[in-house]
Tab-separated table of all heavy atoms in Angstrom:
chain	number	residue	atom	x	y	z
A	23	GLU	N	7.074	-13.611	-1.994
A	23	GLU	CA	7.081	-13.629	-0.494
A	23	GLU	C	6.476	-12.075	-0.042
A	23	GLU	O	5.772	-12.016	0.867
A	23	GLU	CB	8.450	-13.830	0.116
A	23	GLU	CG	8.504	-13.685	1.592
A	23	GLU	CD	7.786	-14.836	2.339
A	23	GLU	OE1	7.406	-15.778	1.830
A	23	GLU	OE2	7.676	-14.527	3.664
A	24	TYR	N	7.126	-11.197	-0.800
A	24	TYR	CA	6.565	-9.712	-0.418
A	24	TYR	C	5.081	-9.648	-0.801
A	24	TYR	O	4.420	-9.023	-0.039
A	24	TYR	CB	7.346	-8.746	-1.224
A	24	TYR	CG	8.411	-8.129	-0.283
A	24	TYR	CD1	9.593	-8.659	-0.028
A	24	TYR	CD2	8.134	-6.850	0.227
A	24	TYR	CE1	10.518	-8.032	0.796
A	24	TYR	CE2	9.020	-6.119	1.183
A	24	TYR	CZ	10.279	-6.763	1.444
A	24	TYR	OH	11.029	-6.193	2.310
A	25	ILE	N	4.662	-10.085	-1.899
A	25	ILE	CA	3.208	-10.110	-2.211
A	25	ILE	C	2.375	-10.743	-1.238
A	25	ILE	O	1.363	-10.259	-0.781
A	25	ILE	CB	3.045	-10.625	-3.696
A	25	ILE	CG1	3.624	-9.735	-4.722
A	25	ILE	CG2	1.552	-10.833	-3.886
A	25	ILE	CD1	3.545	-10.190	-6.110
A	26	LYS	N	2.839	-11.897	-0.727
A	26	LYS	CA	2.075	-12.582	0.230
A	26	LYS	C	2.121	-11.782	1.652
A	26	LYS	O	0.928	-11.677	2.142
A	26	LYS	CB	2.824	-13.961	0.637
A	26	LYS	CG	2.145	-14.750	1.699
A	26	LYS	CD	2.986	-15.937	2.104
A	26	LYS	CE	3.989	-15.552	3.058
A	26	LYS	NZ	4.419	-15.969	4.284
A	27	VAL	N	2.965	-11.151	1.993
A	27	VAL	CA	3.014	-10.260	3.201
A	27	VAL	C	2.133	-9.104	2.980
A	27	VAL	O	1.388	-8.728	3.822
A	27	VAL	CB	4.410	-9.838	3.576
A	27	VAL	CG1	4.455	-8.827	4.637
A	27	VAL	CG2	5.247	-11.040	4.010
A	28	ILE	N	2.117	-8.494	1.820
A	28	ILE	CA	1.278	-7.241	1.586
A	28	ILE	C	-0.110	-7.613	1.546
A	28	ILE	O	-0.922	-6.900	2.092
A	28	ILE	CB	1.768	-6.619	0.206
A	28	ILE	CG1	3.098	-5.994	0.365
A	28	ILE	CG2	0.744	-5.473	-0.278
A	28	ILE	CD1	3.763	-5.412	-0.997
A	29	LYS	N	-0.443	-8.890	1.091
A	29	LYS	CA	-1.847	-9.342	1.150
A	29	LYS	C	-2.293	-9.549	2.578
A	29	LYS	O	-3.582	-9.447	2.843
A	29	LYS	CB	-2.016	-10.715	0.369
A	29	LYS	CG	-1.978	-10.499	-1.083
A	29	LYS	CD	-2.190	-11.871	-1.765
A	29	LYS	CE	-2.040	-11.746	-3.286
A	29	LYS	NZ	-2.211	-13.138	-3.934
A	30	GLU	N	-1.410	-9.703	3.545
A	30	GLU	CA	-1.819	-9.924	4.964
A	30	GLU	C	-1.918	-8.625	5.691
A	30	GLU	O	-2.330	-8.623	6.891
A	30	GLU	CB	-0.712	-10.816	5.659
A	30	GLU	CG	-0.660	-12.201	5.020
A	30	GLU	CD	0.495	-13.058	5.718
A	30	GLU	OE1	1.097	-12.511	6.657
A	30	GLU	OE2	0.765	-14.174	5.229
A	31	MET	N	-1.594	-7.590	5.103
A	31	MET	CA	-1.676	-6.240	5.815
A	31	MET	C	-3.034	-5.961	6.197
A	31	MET	O	-4.012	-6.222	5.486
A	31	MET	CB	-0.979	-5.066	4.813
A	31	MET	CG	0.418	-5.108	4.676
A	31	MET	SD	0.933	-3.755	3.669
A	31	MET	CE	2.710	-3.775	3.841
A	32	PRO	N	-3.086	-5.094	7.342
A	32	PRO	CA	-4.433	-4.700	7.695
A	32	PRO	C	-4.884	-3.575	6.767
A	32	PRO	O	-3.990	-3.136	5.963
A	32	PRO	CB	-4.212	-4.084	9.137
A	32	PRO	CG	-2.836	-3.721	9.117
A	32	PRO	CD	-1.989	-4.800	8.172
A	33	LYS	N	-6.143	-3.208	6.830
A	33	LYS	CA	-6.557	-2.154	5.911
A	33	LYS	C	-5.788	-0.779	6.184
A	33	LYS	O	-5.590	-0.509	7.408
A	33	LYS	CB	-8.082	-1.930	6.043
A	33	LYS	CG	-8.938	-3.009	5.468
A	33	LYS	CD	-10.424	-2.632	5.502
A	33	LYS	CE	-11.127	-3.731	4.797
A	33	LYS	NZ	-12.414	-3.374	4.545
A	34	TRP	N	-5.560	-0.076	5.070
A	34	TRP	CA	-4.826	1.179	5.234
A	34	TRP	C	-5.918	2.320	5.383
A	34	TRP	O	-7.024	2.170	5.210
A	34	TRP	CB	-4.070	1.489	3.896
A	34	TRP	CG	-2.868	0.628	3.719
A	34	TRP	CD1	-2.701	-0.647	4.029
A	34	TRP	CD2	-1.602	1.019	3.259
A	34	TRP	NE1	-1.359	-1.170	3.729
A	34	TRP	CE2	-0.695	-0.100	3.251
A	34	TRP	CE3	-1.170	2.334	2.858
A	34	TRP	CZ2	0.625	-0.023	2.796
A	34	TRP	CZ3	0.241	2.294	2.415
A	34	TRP	CH2	1.022	1.278	2.377
A	35	ASP	N	-5.320	3.486	5.735
A	35	ASP	CA	-6.044	4.713	5.735
A	35	ASP	C	-5.998	5.210	4.290
A	35	ASP	O	-4.963	5.454	3.823
A	35	ASP	CB	-5.467	5.746	6.641
A	35	ASP	CG	-5.353	5.368	8.120
A	35	ASP	OD1	-6.325	4.688	8.548
A	35	ASP	OD2	-4.473	5.687	8.743
A	36	PRO	N	-7.183	5.223	3.650
A	36	PRO	CA	-7.196	5.514	2.199
A	36	PRO	C	-6.804	6.987	1.884
A	36	PRO	O	-6.771	7.932	2.792
A	36	PRO	CB	-8.653	5.280	1.751
A	36	PRO	CG	-9.402	5.489	2.990
A	36	PRO	CD	-8.578	5.076	4.125
A	37	ALA	N	-6.496	7.301	0.623
A	37	ALA	CA	-6.103	8.521	0.145
A	37	ALA	C	-7.316	9.448	0.042
A	37	ALA	O	-8.427	8.973	-0.137
A	37	ALA	CB	-5.350	8.383	-1.198
A	38	LYS	N	-6.995	10.816	0.045
A	38	LYS	CA	-8.109	11.720	-0.211
A	38	LYS	C	-7.683	12.823	-1.239
A	38	LYS	O	-6.506	13.178	-1.221
A	38	LYS	CB	-8.461	12.418	1.127
A	38	LYS	CG	-9.152	11.577	2.062
A	38	LYS	CD	-9.555	12.243	3.330
A	38	LYS	CE	-10.173	11.336	4.333
A	38	LYS	NZ	-10.497	11.948	5.607
A	39	LYS	N	-8.612	13.124	-2.132
A	39	LYS	CA	-8.354	14.140	-3.132
A	39	LYS	C	-9.587	15.015	-3.092
A	39	LYS	O	-10.772	14.509	-3.191
A	39	LYS	CB	-8.120	13.564	-4.391
A	39	LYS	CG	-7.736	14.663	-5.521
A	39	LYS	CD	-7.243	13.902	-6.735
A	39	LYS	CE	-6.796	15.012	-7.735
A	39	LYS	NZ	-5.497	15.846	-7.329
A	40	ASP	N	-9.445	16.352	-3.032
A	40	ASP	CA	-10.444	17.291	-2.938
A	40	ASP	C	-11.518	16.991	-1.858
A	40	ASP	O	-12.751	17.056	-2.045
A	40	ASP	CB	-11.177	17.487	-4.284
A	40	ASP	CG	-10.196	17.952	-5.354
A	40	ASP	OD1	-9.214	18.683	-5.026
A	40	ASP	OD2	-10.310	17.470	-6.536
A	41	GLY	N	-11.040	16.427	-0.800
A	41	GLY	CA	-12.053	16.109	0.368
A	41	GLY	C	-12.693	14.799	0.257
A	41	GLY	O	-13.476	14.419	1.084
A	42	LYS	N	-12.415	13.988	-0.914
A	42	LYS	CA	-13.086	12.773	-1.084
A	42	LYS	C	-12.113	11.666	-1.008
A	42	LYS	O	-11.049	11.737	-1.388
A	42	LYS	CB	-13.737	12.701	-2.435
A	42	LYS	CG	-14.902	13.556	-2.717
A	42	LYS	CD	-15.233	13.351	-4.221
A	42	LYS	CE	-16.507	14.206	-4.542
A	42	LYS	NZ	-16.842	14.039	-5.939
A	43	VAL	N	-12.734	10.469	-0.464
A	43	VAL	CA	-11.826	9.334	-0.388
A	43	VAL	C	-11.687	8.752	-1.768
A	43	VAL	O	-12.773	8.578	-2.540
A	43	VAL	CB	-12.408	8.306	0.590
A	43	VAL	CG1	-11.615	6.916	0.562
A	43	VAL	CG2	-12.511	8.874	1.971
A	44	VAL	N	-10.406	8.389	-2.142
A	44	VAL	CA	-10.187	7.962	-3.653
A	44	VAL	C	-9.379	6.747	-3.618
A	44	VAL	O	-8.663	6.374	-2.526
A	44	VAL	CB	-9.664	9.033	-4.344
A	44	VAL	CG1	-10.498	10.208	-4.633
A	44	VAL	CG2	-8.181	9.540	-3.935
A	45	ARG	N	-9.358	5.951	-4.705
A	45	ARG	CA	-8.468	4.859	-4.917
A	45	ARG	C	-6.979	5.453	-5.237
A	45	ARG	O	-6.985	6.467	-5.967
A	45	ARG	CB	-8.798	4.056	-6.066
A	45	ARG	CG	-10.193	3.505	-5.826
A	45	ARG	CD	-10.797	2.745	-7.108
A	45	ARG	NE	-10.028	1.487	-7.348
A	45	ARG	CZ	-9.909	0.884	-8.437
A	45	ARG	NH1	-10.179	1.332	-9.601
A	45	ARG	NH2	-9.232	-0.332	-8.483
A	46	SER	N	-5.984	4.970	-4.793
A	46	SER	CA	-4.672	5.432	-5.127
A	46	SER	C	-3.635	4.311	-5.374
A	46	SER	O	-3.793	3.276	-4.841
A	46	SER	CB	-4.270	6.299	-3.952
A	46	SER	OG	-3.896	5.566	-2.654
A	47	LEU	N	-2.657	4.697	-6.109
A	47	LEU	CA	-1.518	3.858	-6.397
A	47	LEU	C	-0.418	4.178	-5.405
A	47	LEU	O	0.023	5.194	-5.190
A	47	LEU	CB	-1.028	4.045	-7.828
A	47	LEU	CG	-0.013	3.069	-8.311
A	47	LEU	CD1	-0.479	1.684	-8.515
A	47	LEU	CD2	0.598	3.592	-9.637
A	48	TYR	N	0.096	3.073	-4.769
A	48	TYR	CA	1.212	3.202	-3.868
A	48	TYR	C	2.329	2.317	-4.383
A	48	TYR	O	2.186	1.214	-4.781
A	48	TYR	CB	0.724	2.557	-2.581
A	48	TYR	CG	1.645	2.850	-1.390
A	48	TYR	CD1	1.395	3.970	-0.487
A	48	TYR	CD2	2.726	2.106	-1.164
A	48	TYR	CE1	2.255	4.255	0.618
A	48	TYR	CE2	3.608	2.251	-0.075
A	48	TYR	CZ	3.445	3.425	0.727
A	48	TYR	OH	4.125	3.564	1.796
A	49	THR	N	3.402	3.033	-4.393
A	49	THR	CA	4.666	2.294	-4.780
A	49	THR	C	5.730	2.151	-3.699
A	49	THR	O	5.982	3.229	-3.078
A	49	THR	CB	5.403	3.059	-6.060
A	49	THR	OG1	4.529	3.345	-7.078
A	49	THR	CG2	6.608	2.260	-6.432
A	50	LEU	N	6.019	0.982	-3.464
A	50	LEU	CA	6.986	0.627	-2.278
A	50	LEU	C	8.278	0.119	-2.745
A	50	LEU	O	8.426	-0.945	-3.259
A	50	LEU	CB	6.262	-0.506	-1.437
A	50	LEU	CG	7.023	-0.989	-0.292
A	50	LEU	CD1	7.158	0.044	0.790
A	50	LEU	CD2	6.438	-2.196	0.293
A	51	PRO	N	9.308	1.006	-2.781
A	51	PRO	CA	10.679	0.611	-3.141
A	51	PRO	C	11.193	-0.305	-2.148
A	51	PRO	O	11.063	0.090	-0.867
A	51	PRO	CB	11.479	1.751	-3.306
A	51	PRO	CG	10.456	2.981	-3.133
A	51	PRO	CD	9.303	2.437	-2.469
A	52	VAL	N	11.971	-1.387	-2.359
A	52	VAL	CA	12.537	-2.225	-1.447
A	52	VAL	C	13.912	-2.448	-1.776
A	52	VAL	O	14.415	-2.639	-2.850
A	52	VAL	CB	11.796	-3.656	-1.533
A	52	VAL	CG1	12.479	-4.600	-0.422
A	52	VAL	CG2	10.322	-3.493	-1.198
A	53	ASN	N	14.827	-2.312	-0.790
A	53	ASN	CA	16.312	-2.451	-0.885
A	53	ASN	C	16.689	-3.369	0.247
A	53	ASN	O	16.668	-3.139	1.285
A	53	ASN	CB	16.963	-1.139	-0.674
A	53	ASN	CG	18.492	-1.161	-0.868
A	53	ASN	OD1	19.036	-2.287	-1.213
A	53	ASN	ND2	19.209	-0.174	-0.489
A	54	ILE	N	17.109	-4.580	-0.279
A	54	ILE	CA	17.486	-5.693	0.726
A	54	ILE	C	18.981	-5.974	0.470
A	54	ILE	O	19.415	-6.216	-0.596
A	54	ILE	CB	16.701	-6.979	0.363
A	54	ILE	CG1	15.171	-6.710	0.534
A	54	ILE	CG2	17.156	-8.037	1.373
A	54	ILE	CD1	14.444	-7.876	0.101
A	55	LYS	N	19.810	-5.819	1.587
A	55	LYS	CA	21.155	-6.170	1.642
A	55	LYS	C	21.331	-7.393	2.452
A	55	LYS	O	21.116	-7.512	3.606
A	55	LYS	CB	21.963	-5.065	2.174
A	55	LYS	CG	21.965	-3.779	1.379
A	55	LYS	CD	22.832	-2.716	2.042
A	55	LYS	CE	22.630	-1.369	1.193
A	55	LYS	NZ	23.174	-0.282	1.867
């Protein structure tokens, strides 16, 4: 379900390193009560 929702997300603002747009790894911790 979470993967399905993430796939529906609009495009993000990408990361930058040394002034260049780069690919980046994003980790999303989820805590559900």
Side-chain angles (χ1 to χ4, degrees):
E23 180 69 14
Y24 255 82
I25 289 173
K26 179 186 79 124
V27 170
I28 291 171
K29 286 180 179 178
E30 294 175 8
M31 286 183 172
K33 288 190 174 187
W34 285 44
D35 298 324
K38 292 183 180 177
K39 185 165 182 71
D40 300 327
K42 291 181 181 178
V43 173
V44 295
R45 300 171 76 207
S46 64
L47 183 68
Y48 190 96
T49 302
L50 179 67
V52 179
N53 178 9
I54 302 172
K55 295 177 184 175

